[in-house]
Amino acid sequence: AQKITQTQPGMFVQEKEAVTLDCTYDTSDQSYGLFWYKQPSSGEMIFLIYQGSYDEQNATEGRYSLNFQKARKSANLVISASQLGDSAMYFCGFCSGNTGKLIFGQGTTLQVKP
Amino acid sequence: KAGVTQTPRYLIKTRGQQVTLSCSPISGHRSVSWYQQTPGQGLQFLFEYFSETQRNKGNFPGRFSGRQFSNSRSEMNVSTLELGDSALYLCASSRQAQPANTEAFFGQGTRLTVV
């Protein structure tokens, strides 16, 4: 069975600095997708970035980049130049290419300090 | 284009009652997944429907059920409510049956409180 782990329940970062949110996964699937979502206090889940298991380059979307290390089964999210609006909960997601089931880690609460 | 719509946004029910939550996916999306979010358990997968068929199911008791209609709208039902069912219920839609390269778009959720 697949498992996804986020080991940091909460993190602080100074405004304008970069921060890395950790995510590791466990799977025997060859084909899978990794996702990061942001959940502000309003509750809605906002898609940030996607990485496919066969993608050789790390995904980037604006200030977000995904540090994909396949052998280590990690998919860390890097947010550059943090902004106050980045304060939210962040979820790492894993989708199996075999079952199509999308599961999430426990989440990391990020607080950006002015 | 309209996003994922969940109704109602807020709901208060008493123990033992049943509840039905609704989710209208983005137009053209055929896959709908449901999640339960609680502070203690995080985001837990309930089930996924694609073309009116349940494709995946999470580890929840049979009190939790769902269905999908021909227009891709989905409902989930919880019978014999328990206090522990109080949670934010999120629905996500995607274009296909959640292959590994398709992001899911979420609704704003239904916050259910059981008293």
mmCIF file of all heavy atoms in Angstrom, chain A residues 31-35 37 39 42-45 47 50 89 91 95-106, chain B residues 9 35 37 40-43 45 48 55-58 88 90 97-108:
data_model
loop_
_atom_site.group_PDB
_atom_site.id
_atom_site.type_symbol
_atom_site.label_atom_id
_atom_site.label_comp_id
_atom_site.label_asym_id
_atom_site.label_seq_id
_atom_site.Cartn_x
_atom_site.Cartn_y
_atom_site.Cartn_z
ATOM 1 N N SER A 31 4.686 3.978 -12.096
ATOM 2 C CA SER A 31 4.053 5.194 -12.604
ATOM 3 C C SER A 31 3.225 5.833 -11.497
ATOM 4 O O SER A 31 2.341 5.202 -10.919
ATOM 5 C CB SER A 31 3.154 4.851 -13.798
ATOM 6 O OG SER A 31 2.411 5.985 -14.187
ATOM 7 N N TYR A 32 3.534 7.080 -11.224
ATOM 8 C CA TYR A 32 2.778 7.781 -10.191
ATOM 9 C C TYR A 32 2.975 9.275 -10.357
ATOM 10 O O TYR A 32 3.833 9.724 -11.129
ATOM 11 C CB TYR A 32 3.191 7.353 -8.782
ATOM 12 C CG TYR A 32 4.679 7.410 -8.510
ATOM 13 C CD1 TYR A 32 5.283 8.580 -8.066
ATOM 14 C CD2 TYR A 32 5.473 6.272 -8.689
ATOM 15 C CE1 TYR A 32 6.642 8.624 -7.815
ATOM 16 C CE2 TYR A 32 6.834 6.318 -8.441
ATOM 17 C CZ TYR A 32 7.414 7.483 -8.001
ATOM 18 O OH TYR A 32 8.770 7.533 -7.764
ATOM 19 N N GLY A 33 2.155 10.023 -9.678
ATOM 20 C CA GLY A 33 2.267 11.477 -9.718
ATOM 21 C C GLY A 33 2.360 12.027 -8.306
ATOM 22 O O GLY A 33 1.798 11.462 -7.367
ATOM 23 N N LEU A 34 3.063 13.112 -8.173
ATOM 24 C CA LEU A 34 3.217 13.784 -6.878
ATOM 25 C C LEU A 34 2.685 15.201 -7.006
ATOM 26 O O LEU A 34 2.944 15.886 -8.001
ATOM 27 C CB LEU A 34 4.686 13.789 -6.466
ATOM 28 C CG LEU A 34 5.253 12.377 -6.251
ATOM 29 C CD1 LEU A 34 6.754 12.359 -6.455
ATOM 30 C CD2 LEU A 34 4.891 11.877 -4.862
ATOM 31 N N PHE A 35 1.949 15.624 -6.027
ATOM 32 C CA PHE A 35 1.281 16.915 -6.063
ATOM 33 C C PHE A 35 1.530 17.672 -4.758
ATOM 34 O O PHE A 35 1.711 17.066 -3.696
ATOM 35 C CB PHE A 35 -0.240 16.732 -6.190
ATOM 36 C CG PHE A 35 -0.682 15.980 -7.408
ATOM 37 C CD1 PHE A 35 -0.663 14.597 -7.441
ATOM 38 C CD2 PHE A 35 -1.142 16.663 -8.517
ATOM 39 C CE1 PHE A 35 -1.084 13.891 -8.568
ATOM 40 C CE2 PHE A 35 -1.571 15.974 -9.645
ATOM 41 C CZ PHE A 35 -1.544 14.589 -9.667
ATOM 42 N N TYR A 37 -0.484 20.826 -2.636
ATOM 43 C CA TYR A 37 -1.631 21.708 -2.533
ATOM 44 C C TYR A 37 -1.443 22.632 -1.340
ATOM 45 O O TYR A 37 -0.825 22.269 -0.333
ATOM 46 C CB TYR A 37 -2.919 20.912 -2.327
ATOM 47 C CG TYR A 37 -3.451 20.244 -3.569
ATOM 48 C CD1 TYR A 37 -2.944 19.020 -3.998
ATOM 49 C CD2 TYR A 37 -4.468 20.841 -4.319
ATOM 50 C CE1 TYR A 37 -3.428 18.409 -5.150
ATOM 51 C CE2 TYR A 37 -4.958 20.230 -5.464
ATOM 52 C CZ TYR A 37 -4.439 19.025 -5.868
ATOM 53 O OH TYR A 37 -4.911 18.413 -6.993
ATOM 54 N N GLN A 39 -3.612 24.947 1.455
ATOM 55 C CA GLN A 39 -4.937 25.120 2.041
ATOM 56 C C GLN A 39 -4.914 26.307 3.005
ATOM 57 O O GLN A 39 -4.456 26.195 4.139
ATOM 58 C CB GLN A 39 -5.395 23.856 2.775
ATOM 59 C CG GLN A 39 -6.844 23.945 3.246
ATOM 60 C CD GLN A 39 -7.298 22.725 3.995
ATOM 61 O OE1 GLN A 39 -6.590 22.206 4.850
ATOM 62 N NE2 GLN A 39 -8.496 22.242 3.673
ATOM 63 N N SER A 42 -9.417 29.447 4.756
ATOM 64 C CA SER A 42 -10.767 29.332 4.174
ATOM 65 C C SER A 42 -11.153 27.881 3.890
ATOM 66 O O SER A 42 -12.332 27.563 3.750
ATOM 67 C CB SER A 42 -10.845 30.139 2.869
ATOM 68 O OG SER A 42 -9.895 29.652 1.926
ATOM 69 N N GLY A 43 -10.169 26.993 3.803
ATOM 70 C CA GLY A 43 -10.457 25.574 3.635
ATOM 71 C C GLY A 43 -10.298 25.026 2.233
ATOM 72 O O GLY A 43 -10.143 23.822 2.063
ATOM 73 N N GLU A 44 -10.310 25.885 1.231
ATOM 74 C CA GLU A 44 -10.212 25.384 -0.133
ATOM 75 C C GLU A 44 -8.797 24.897 -0.428
ATOM 76 O O GLU A 44 -7.827 25.506 -0.017
ATOM 77 C CB GLU A 44 -10.589 26.483 -1.122
ATOM 78 C CG GLU A 44 -10.693 26.007 -2.555
ATOM 79 C CD GLU A 44 -11.235 27.075 -3.481
ATOM 80 O OE1 GLU A 44 -11.555 28.176 -3.009
ATOM 81 O OE2 GLU A 44 -11.348 26.791 -4.682
ATOM 82 N N MET A 45 -8.683 23.807 -1.145
ATOM 83 C CA MET A 45 -7.392 23.251 -1.528
ATOM 84 C C MET A 45 -6.992 23.839 -2.876
ATOM 85 O O MET A 45 -7.730 23.721 -3.857
ATOM 86 C CB MET A 45 -7.472 21.726 -1.648
ATOM 87 C CG MET A 45 -7.782 21.038 -0.342
ATOM 88 S SD MET A 45 -6.304 20.747 0.610
ATOM 89 C CE MET A 45 -5.644 19.325 -0.239
ATOM 90 N N PHE A 47 -4.274 23.885 -5.937
ATOM 91 C CA PHE A 47 -3.207 23.135 -6.579
ATOM 92 C C PHE A 47 -1.998 24.041 -6.816
ATOM 93 O O PHE A 47 -2.131 25.170 -7.294
ATOM 94 C CB PHE A 47 -3.704 22.575 -7.909
ATOM 95 C CG PHE A 47 -2.618 22.043 -8.794
ATOM 96 C CD1 PHE A 47 -2.008 20.837 -8.514
ATOM 97 C CD2 PHE A 47 -2.175 22.765 -9.883
ATOM 98 C CE1 PHE A 47 -0.999 20.349 -9.332
ATOM 99 C CE2 PHE A 47 -1.169 22.283 -10.708
ATOM 100 C CZ PHE A 47 -0.576 21.072 -10.422
ATOM 101 N N TYR A 50 2.930 19.886 -9.821
ATOM 102 C CA TYR A 50 2.851 18.454 -10.101
ATOM 103 C C TYR A 50 4.197 17.934 -10.621
ATOM 104 O O TYR A 50 4.896 18.625 -11.358
ATOM 105 C CB TYR A 50 1.775 18.197 -11.161
ATOM 106 C CG TYR A 50 1.912 16.868 -11.857
ATOM 107 C CD1 TYR A 50 1.444 15.716 -11.253
ATOM 108 C CD2 TYR A 50 2.560 16.759 -13.085
ATOM 109 C CE1 TYR A 50 1.597 14.488 -11.878
ATOM 110 C CE2 TYR A 50 2.716 15.541 -13.715
ATOM 111 C CZ TYR A 50 2.234 14.406 -13.098
ATOM 112 O OH TYR A 50 2.394 13.191 -13.702
ATOM 113 N N MET A 89 -1.707 25.856 5.306
ATOM 114 C CA MET A 89 -1.309 24.467 5.450
ATOM 115 C C MET A 89 -0.989 23.932 4.052
ATOM 116 O O MET A 89 -1.691 24.257 3.084
ATOM 117 C CB MET A 89 -2.419 23.644 6.107
ATOM 118 C CG MET A 89 -2.052 22.194 6.298
ATOM 119 S SD MET A 89 -3.111 21.290 7.437
ATOM 120 C CE MET A 89 -2.420 21.702 8.981
ATOM 121 N N PHE A 91 -0.182 20.463 1.731
ATOM 122 C CA PHE A 91 -0.343 19.018 1.657
ATOM 123 C C PHE A 91 0.413 18.463 0.457
ATOM 124 O O PHE A 91 0.312 18.982 -0.658
ATOM 125 C CB PHE A 91 -1.817 18.635 1.529
ATOM 126 C CG PHE A 91 -2.613 18.842 2.769
ATOM 127 C CD1 PHE A 91 -3.330 20.014 2.964
ATOM 128 C CD2 PHE A 91 -2.647 17.869 3.760
ATOM 129 C CE1 PHE A 91 -4.073 20.214 4.110
ATOM 130 C CE2 PHE A 91 -3.390 18.057 4.913
ATOM 131 C CZ PHE A 91 -4.106 19.231 5.096
ATOM 132 N N CYS A 95 -0.436 10.118 -6.228
ATOM 133 C CA CYS A 95 -1.462 9.440 -7.010
ATOM 134 C C CYS A 95 -0.851 8.246 -7.715
ATOM 135 O O CYS A 95 0.111 8.390 -8.478
ATOM 136 C CB CYS A 95 -2.075 10.385 -8.032
ATOM 137 S SG CYS A 95 -3.410 9.625 -8.965
ATOM 138 N N SER A 96 -1.415 7.085 -7.469
ATOM 139 C CA SER A 96 -0.931 5.867 -8.103
ATOM 140 C C SER A 96 -1.373 5.800 -9.552
ATOM 141 O O SER A 96 -2.548 6.030 -9.857
ATOM 142 C CB SER A 96 -1.483 4.651 -7.349
ATOM 143 O OG SER A 96 -1.331 3.480 -8.134
ATOM 144 N N GLY A 97 -0.447 5.471 -10.429
ATOM 145 C CA GLY A 97 -0.804 5.299 -11.828
ATOM 146 C C GLY A 97 -1.573 4.008 -12.056
ATOM 147 O O GLY A 97 -2.237 3.848 -13.075
ATOM 148 N N ASN A 98 -1.527 3.090 -11.078
ATOM 149 C CA ASN A 98 -2.247 1.824 -11.214
ATOM 150 C C ASN A 98 -3.689 1.948 -10.749
ATOM 151 O O ASN A 98 -4.615 1.503 -11.425
ATOM 152 C CB ASN A 98 -1.555 0.735 -10.392
ATOM 153 C CG ASN A 98 -0.212 0.357 -10.983
ATOM 154 O OD1 ASN A 98 -0.022 0.461 -12.189
ATOM 155 N ND2 ASN A 98 0.717 -0.055 -10.133
ATOM 156 N N THR A 99 -3.884 2.546 -9.600
ATOM 157 C CA THR A 99 -5.233 2.603 -9.029
ATOM 158 C C THR A 99 -5.923 3.942 -9.283
ATOM 159 O O THR A 99 -7.141 4.020 -9.203
ATOM 160 C CB THR A 99 -5.201 2.371 -7.508
ATOM 161 O OG1 THR A 99 -4.520 3.469 -6.898
ATOM 162 C CG2 THR A 99 -4.493 1.069 -7.167
ATOM 163 N N GLY A 100 -5.156 4.971 -9.554
ATOM 164 C CA GLY A 100 -5.749 6.290 -9.726
ATOM 165 C C GLY A 100 -6.165 6.948 -8.424
ATOM 166 O O GLY A 100 -6.849 7.964 -8.426
ATOM 167 N N LYS A 101 -5.769 6.370 -7.320
ATOM 168 C CA LYS A 101 -6.188 6.898 -6.023
ATOM 169 C C LYS A 101 -5.213 7.978 -5.563
ATOM 170 O O LYS A 101 -3.995 7.773 -5.549
ATOM 171 C CB LYS A 101 -6.208 5.741 -5.031
ATOM 172 C CG LYS A 101 -6.715 6.059 -3.654
ATOM 173 C CD LYS A 101 -6.782 4.749 -2.863
ATOM 174 C CE LYS A 101 -6.963 4.972 -1.404
ATOM 175 N NZ LYS A 101 -6.968 3.699 -0.656
ATOM 176 N N LEU A 102 -5.751 9.119 -5.178
ATOM 177 C CA LEU A 102 -4.936 10.251 -4.726
ATOM 178 C C LEU A 102 -5.011 10.346 -3.219
ATOM 179 O O LEU A 102 -6.085 10.549 -2.658
ATOM 180 C CB LEU A 102 -5.448 11.544 -5.380
ATOM 181 C CG LEU A 102 -4.842 12.871 -4.927
ATOM 182 C CD1 LEU A 102 -3.344 12.915 -5.186
ATOM 183 C CD2 LEU A 102 -5.531 14.034 -5.630
ATOM 184 N N ILE A 103 -3.867 10.210 -2.552
ATOM 185 C CA ILE A 103 -3.826 10.298 -1.096
ATOM 186 C C ILE A 103 -2.895 11.421 -0.679
ATOM 187 O O ILE A 103 -2.038 11.859 -1.459
ATOM 188 C CB ILE A 103 -3.388 8.968 -0.449
ATOM 189 C CG1 ILE A 103 -1.983 8.581 -0.919
ATOM 190 C CG2 ILE A 103 -4.397 7.866 -0.727
ATOM 191 C CD1 ILE A 103 -1.402 7.390 -0.179
ATOM 192 N N PHE A 104 -3.050 11.866 0.574
ATOM 193 C CA PHE A 104 -2.302 13.017 1.057
ATOM 194 C C PHE A 104 -1.571 12.703 2.352
ATOM 195 O O PHE A 104 -1.964 11.830 3.122
ATOM 196 C CB PHE A 104 -3.250 14.190 1.299
ATOM 197 C CG PHE A 104 -3.832 14.753 0.032
ATOM 198 C CD1 PHE A 104 -5.045 14.308 -0.440
ATOM 199 C CD2 PHE A 104 -3.147 15.722 -0.679
ATOM 200 C CE1 PHE A 104 -5.572 14.809 -1.619
ATOM 201 C CE2 PHE A 104 -3.660 16.232 -1.856
ATOM 202 C CZ PHE A 104 -4.883 15.772 -2.331
ATOM 203 N N GLY A 105 -0.511 13.466 2.575
ATOM 204 C CA GLY A 105 0.181 13.424 3.845
ATOM 205 C C GLY A 105 -0.601 14.191 4.893
ATOM 206 O O GLY A 105 -1.680 14.723 4.631
ATOM 207 N N GLN A 106 -0.025 14.270 6.099
ATOM 208 C CA GLN A 106 -0.712 14.904 7.220
ATOM 209 C C GLN A 106 -0.729 16.418 7.136
ATOM 210 O O GLN A 106 -1.477 17.073 7.852
ATOM 211 C CB GLN A 106 -0.050 14.481 8.535
ATOM 212 C CG GLN A 106 -0.341 13.049 8.929
ATOM 213 C CD GLN A 106 -1.780 12.835 9.342
ATOM 214 O OE1 GLN A 106 -2.637 12.546 8.517
ATOM 215 N NE2 GLN A 106 -2.059 12.997 10.615
ATOM 216 N N ARG B 9 -22.576 24.470 2.427
ATOM 217 C CA ARG B 9 -21.256 24.823 2.956
ATOM 218 C C ARG B 9 -21.138 24.434 4.427
ATOM 219 O O ARG B 9 -20.069 24.042 4.884
ATOM 220 C CB ARG B 9 -21.010 26.320 2.813
ATOM 221 C CG ARG B 9 -20.773 26.801 1.402
ATOM 222 C CD ARG B 9 -19.440 26.310 0.832
ATOM 223 N NE ARG B 9 -18.310 26.544 1.721
ATOM 224 C CZ ARG B 9 -17.675 27.690 1.855
ATOM 225 N NH1 ARG B 9 -18.057 28.743 1.152
ATOM 226 N NH2 ARG B 9 -16.659 27.799 2.685
ATOM 227 N N TYR B 35 -13.073 13.415 0.309
ATOM 228 C CA TYR B 35 -12.107 13.329 1.404
ATOM 229 C C TYR B 35 -12.755 13.850 2.682
ATOM 230 O O TYR B 35 -13.576 14.762 2.646
ATOM 231 C CB TYR B 35 -10.861 14.163 1.108
ATOM 232 C CG TYR B 35 -10.083 13.681 -0.090
ATOM 233 C CD1 TYR B 35 -10.427 14.081 -1.377
ATOM 234 C CD2 TYR B 35 -9.009 12.815 0.057
ATOM 235 C CE1 TYR B 35 -9.735 13.632 -2.477
ATOM 236 C CE2 TYR B 35 -8.298 12.367 -1.047
ATOM 237 C CZ TYR B 35 -8.672 12.773 -2.300
ATOM 238 O OH TYR B 35 -7.978 12.324 -3.398
ATOM 239 N N GLN B 37 -11.653 15.606 6.241
ATOM 240 C CA GLN B 37 -10.532 16.273 6.903
ATOM 241 C C GLN B 37 -10.890 16.605 8.338
ATOM 242 O O GLN B 37 -11.861 17.310 8.611
ATOM 243 C CB GLN B 37 -10.135 17.552 6.166
ATOM 244 C CG GLN B 37 -8.884 18.200 6.748
ATOM 245 C CD GLN B 37 -8.424 19.420 5.981
ATOM 246 O OE1 GLN B 37 -9.169 20.004 5.207
ATOM 247 N NE2 GLN B 37 -7.176 19.811 6.186
ATOM 248 N N GLY B 40 -7.284 15.743 13.780
ATOM 249 C CA GLY B 40 -6.490 14.629 14.267
ATOM 250 C C GLY B 40 -6.022 13.665 13.188
ATOM 251 O O GLY B 40 -4.920 13.126 13.260
ATOM 252 N N GLN B 41 -6.835 13.457 12.173
ATOM 253 C CA GLN B 41 -6.550 12.446 11.142
ATOM 254 C C GLN B 41 -6.099 13.035 9.819
ATOM 255 O O GLN B 41 -5.724 12.284 8.918
ATOM 256 C CB GLN B 41 -7.805 11.588 10.899
ATOM 257 C CG GLN B 41 -8.283 10.832 12.121
ATOM 258 C CD GLN B 41 -7.275 9.827 12.590
ATOM 259 O OE1 GLN B 41 -6.627 9.158 11.783
ATOM 260 N NE2 GLN B 41 -7.090 9.726 13.890
ATOM 261 N N GLY B 42 -6.151 14.328 9.675
ATOM 262 C CA GLY B 42 -5.725 14.923 8.408
ATOM 263 C C GLY B 42 -6.739 14.677 7.304
ATOM 264 O O GLY B 42 -7.936 14.528 7.545
ATOM 265 N N LEU B 43 -6.235 14.607 6.072
ATOM 266 C CA LEU B 43 -7.074 14.413 4.894
ATOM 267 C C LEU B 43 -7.152 12.933 4.577
ATOM 268 O O LEU B 43 -6.167 12.330 4.155
ATOM 269 C CB LEU B 43 -6.439 15.112 3.695
ATOM 270 C CG LEU B 43 -6.981 16.454 3.247
ATOM 271 C CD1 LEU B 43 -6.113 16.999 2.133
ATOM 272 C CD2 LEU B 43 -8.417 16.326 2.770
ATOM 273 N N PHE B 45 -8.908 9.787 2.419
ATOM 274 C CA PHE B 45 -9.621 9.450 1.200
ATOM 275 C C PHE B 45 -10.841 8.598 1.527
ATOM 276 O O PHE B 45 -10.737 7.594 2.224
ATOM 277 C CB PHE B 45 -8.673 8.702 0.263
ATOM 278 C CG PHE B 45 -9.303 8.190 -0.986
ATOM 279 C CD1 PHE B 45 -9.488 9.015 -2.076
ATOM 280 C CD2 PHE B 45 -9.700 6.864 -1.074
ATOM 281 C CE1 PHE B 45 -10.063 8.529 -3.235
ATOM 282 C CE2 PHE B 45 -10.275 6.376 -2.237
ATOM 283 C CZ PHE B 45 -10.453 7.204 -3.314
ATOM 284 N N GLU B 48 -13.730 7.355 -4.734
ATOM 285 C CA GLU B 48 -13.610 8.031 -6.013
ATOM 286 C C GLU B 48 -14.605 7.419 -6.983
ATOM 287 O O GLU B 48 -14.749 6.189 -7.040
ATOM 288 C CB GLU B 48 -12.202 7.911 -6.604
ATOM 289 C CG GLU B 48 -12.044 8.651 -7.932
ATOM 290 C CD GLU B 48 -11.028 8.033 -8.860
ATOM 291 O OE1 GLU B 48 -10.362 7.050 -8.467
ATOM 292 O OE2 GLU B 48 -10.900 8.523 -9.993
ATOM 293 N N ARG B 55 -14.524 3.653 -8.272
ATOM 294 C CA ARG B 55 -13.251 3.073 -8.689
ATOM 295 C C ARG B 55 -12.333 2.745 -7.511
ATOM 296 O O ARG B 55 -11.575 1.805 -7.549
ATOM 297 C CB ARG B 55 -12.525 4.038 -9.609
ATOM 298 C CG ARG B 55 -12.545 3.659 -11.069
ATOM 299 C CD ARG B 55 -11.850 4.669 -11.891
ATOM 300 N NE ARG B 55 -10.601 5.120 -11.322
ATOM 301 C CZ ARG B 55 -9.401 4.769 -11.788
ATOM 302 N NH1 ARG B 55 -9.314 3.929 -12.798
ATOM 303 N NH2 ARG B 55 -8.307 5.258 -11.253
ATOM 304 N N ASN B 56 -12.390 3.577 -6.515
ATOM 305 C CA ASN B 56 -11.527 3.386 -5.348
ATOM 306 C C ASN B 56 -12.324 3.675 -4.085
ATOM 307 O O ASN B 56 -13.243 4.492 -4.088
ATOM 308 C CB ASN B 56 -10.325 4.340 -5.393
ATOM 309 C CG ASN B 56 -9.312 3.967 -6.439
ATOM 310 O OD1 ASN B 56 -8.651 2.945 -6.338
ATOM 311 N ND2 ASN B 56 -9.199 4.798 -7.457
ATOM 312 N N LYS B 57 -11.923 3.011 -3.030
ATOM 313 C CA LYS B 57 -12.617 3.210 -1.759
ATOM 314 C C LYS B 57 -11.584 3.273 -0.649
ATOM 315 O O LYS B 57 -10.629 2.489 -0.628
ATOM 316 C CB LYS B 57 -13.587 2.058 -1.504
ATOM 317 C CG LYS B 57 -14.549 2.285 -0.348
ATOM 318 C CD LYS B 57 -15.547 1.135 -0.246
ATOM 319 C CE LYS B 57 -16.674 1.430 0.730
ATOM 320 N NZ LYS B 57 -16.244 1.910 2.030
ATOM 321 N N GLY B 58 -11.795 4.192 0.276
ATOM 322 C CA GLY B 58 -10.899 4.301 1.423
ATOM 323 C C GLY B 58 -11.359 3.388 2.539
ATOM 324 O O GLY B 58 -12.283 2.595 2.406
ATOM 325 N N LEU B 88 -14.542 18.494 7.951
ATOM 326 C CA LEU B 88 -14.685 19.189 6.675
ATOM 327 C C LEU B 88 -14.657 18.111 5.594
ATOM 328 O O LEU B 88 -13.710 17.324 5.535
ATOM 329 C CB LEU B 88 -13.547 20.189 6.472
ATOM 330 C CG LEU B 88 -13.533 20.960 5.145
ATOM 331 C CD1 LEU B 88 -14.726 21.911 5.058
ATOM 332 C CD2 LEU B 88 -12.228 21.744 4.991
ATOM 333 N N LEU B 90 -14.382 17.341 1.738
ATOM 334 C CA LEU B 90 -13.915 17.972 0.509
ATOM 335 C C LEU B 90 -14.162 17.066 -0.680
ATOM 336 O O LEU B 90 -13.977 15.847 -0.610
ATOM 337 C CB LEU B 90 -12.417 18.278 0.610
ATOM 338 C CG LEU B 90 -12.034 19.416 1.554
ATOM 339 C CD1 LEU B 90 -10.559 19.353 1.884
ATOM 340 C CD2 LEU B 90 -12.377 20.756 0.940
ATOM 341 N N ALA B 97 -10.077 9.619 -14.917
ATOM 342 C CA ALA B 97 -10.117 8.808 -13.701
ATOM 343 C C ALA B 97 -8.799 8.912 -12.973
ATOM 344 O O ALA B 97 -8.081 7.952 -12.836
ATOM 345 C CB ALA B 97 -10.430 7.364 -14.047
ATOM 346 N N GLN B 98 -8.454 10.103 -12.566
ATOM 347 C CA GLN B 98 -7.274 10.390 -11.771
ATOM 348 C C GLN B 98 -6.041 9.614 -12.229
ATOM 349 O O GLN B 98 -5.433 8.922 -11.437
ATOM 350 C CB GLN B 98 -7.545 10.116 -10.287
ATOM 351 C CG GLN B 98 -6.623 10.867 -9.342
ATOM 352 C CD GLN B 98 -6.573 12.349 -9.577
ATOM 353 O OE1 GLN B 98 -7.576 13.005 -9.629
ATOM 354 N NE2 GLN B 98 -5.378 12.906 -9.726
ATOM 355 N N PRO B 99 -5.677 9.738 -13.503
ATOM 356 C CA PRO B 99 -4.367 9.178 -13.846
ATOM 357 C C PRO B 99 -3.305 10.013 -13.159
ATOM 358 O O PRO B 99 -3.587 11.080 -12.658
ATOM 359 C CB PRO B 99 -4.304 9.348 -15.370
ATOM 360 C CG PRO B 99 -5.213 10.499 -15.661
ATOM 361 C CD PRO B 99 -6.300 10.428 -14.631
ATOM 362 N N ALA B 100 -2.104 9.526 -13.175
ATOM 363 C CA ALA B 100 -1.086 10.134 -12.331
ATOM 364 C C ALA B 100 -0.699 11.534 -12.752
ATOM 365 O O ALA B 100 -0.025 12.228 -12.019
ATOM 366 C CB ALA B 100 0.147 9.229 -12.295
ATOM 367 N N ASN B 101 -1.127 11.983 -13.945
ATOM 368 C CA ASN B 101 -0.660 13.293 -14.387
ATOM 369 C C ASN B 101 -1.784 14.315 -14.507
ATOM 370 O O ASN B 101 -1.673 15.285 -15.248
ATOM 371 C CB ASN B 101 0.059 13.170 -15.732
ATOM 372 C CG ASN B 101 -0.872 12.685 -16.837
ATOM 373 O OD1 ASN B 101 -1.956 12.213 -16.545
ATOM 374 N ND2 ASN B 101 -0.450 12.812 -18.063
ATOM 375 N N THR B 102 -2.855 14.104 -13.803
ATOM 376 C CA THR B 102 -3.957 15.056 -13.880
ATOM 377 C C THR B 102 -4.222 15.618 -12.497
ATOM 378 O O THR B 102 -4.526 14.877 -11.577
ATOM 379 C CB THR B 102 -5.238 14.387 -14.395
ATOM 380 O OG1 THR B 102 -4.983 13.840 -15.677
ATOM 381 C CG2 THR B 102 -6.371 15.380 -14.481
ATOM 382 N N GLU B 103 -4.118 16.934 -12.367
ATOM 383 C CA GLU B 103 -4.363 17.494 -11.047
ATOM 384 C C GLU B 103 -5.851 17.476 -10.747
ATOM 385 O O GLU B 103 -6.689 17.520 -11.647
ATOM 386 C CB GLU B 103 -3.829 18.927 -10.935
ATOM 387 C CG GLU B 103 -4.578 19.969 -11.743
ATOM 388 C CD GLU B 103 -3.913 20.221 -13.075
ATOM 389 O OE1 GLU B 103 -3.285 19.283 -13.625
ATOM 390 O OE2 GLU B 103 -4.019 21.357 -13.565
ATOM 391 N N ALA B 104 -6.166 17.389 -9.475
ATOM 392 C CA ALA B 104 -7.541 17.438 -9.007
ATOM 393 C C ALA B 104 -7.837 18.841 -8.509
ATOM 394 O O ALA B 104 -6.999 19.481 -7.883
ATOM 395 C CB ALA B 104 -7.747 16.417 -7.894
ATOM 396 N N PHE B 105 -9.042 19.308 -8.798
ATOM 397 C CA PHE B 105 -9.490 20.630 -8.351
ATOM 398 C C PHE B 105 -10.524 20.436 -7.253
ATOM 399 O O PHE B 105 -11.465 19.663 -7.407
ATOM 400 C CB PHE B 105 -10.103 21.406 -9.527
ATOM 401 C CG PHE B 105 -9.112 21.721 -10.607
ATOM 402 C CD1 PHE B 105 -8.876 20.821 -11.633
ATOM 403 C CD2 PHE B 105 -8.411 22.911 -10.589
ATOM 404 C CE1 PHE B 105 -7.937 21.100 -12.623
ATOM 405 C CE2 PHE B 105 -7.476 23.204 -11.586
ATOM 406 C CZ PHE B 105 -7.246 22.296 -12.591
ATOM 407 N N PHE B 106 -10.327 21.158 -6.172
ATOM 408 C CA PHE B 106 -11.162 20.957 -4.995
ATOM 409 C C PHE B 106 -12.238 22.022 -4.862
ATOM 410 O O PHE B 106 -12.049 23.179 -5.265
ATOM 411 C CB PHE B 106 -10.294 20.987 -3.733
ATOM 412 C CG PHE B 106 -9.524 19.726 -3.496
ATOM 413 C CD1 PHE B 106 -8.357 19.470 -4.189
ATOM 414 C CD2 PHE B 106 -9.971 18.789 -2.580
ATOM 415 C CE1 PHE B 106 -7.639 18.303 -3.977
ATOM 416 C CE2 PHE B 106 -9.260 17.621 -2.359
ATOM 417 C CZ PHE B 106 -8.097 17.383 -3.058
ATOM 418 N N GLY B 107 -13.344 21.619 -4.239
ATOM 419 C CA GLY B 107 -14.357 22.567 -3.829
ATOM 420 C C GLY B 107 -13.991 23.176 -2.488
ATOM 421 O O GLY B 107 -12.957 22.843 -1.901
ATOM 422 N N GLN B 108 -14.846 24.044 -1.994
ATOM 423 C CA GLN B 108 -14.565 24.720 -0.730
ATOM 424 C C GLN B 108 -14.945 23.881 0.480
ATOM 425 O O GLN B 108 -14.604 24.232 1.603
ATOM 426 C CB GLN B 108 -15.302 26.064 -0.691
ATOM 427 C CG GLN B 108 -14.715 27.090 -1.654
ATOM 428 C CD GLN B 108 -15.298 28.455 -1.435
ATOM 429 O OE1 GLN B 108 -16.493 28.670 -1.632
ATOM 430 N NE2 GLN B 108 -14.467 29.392 -1.028
#
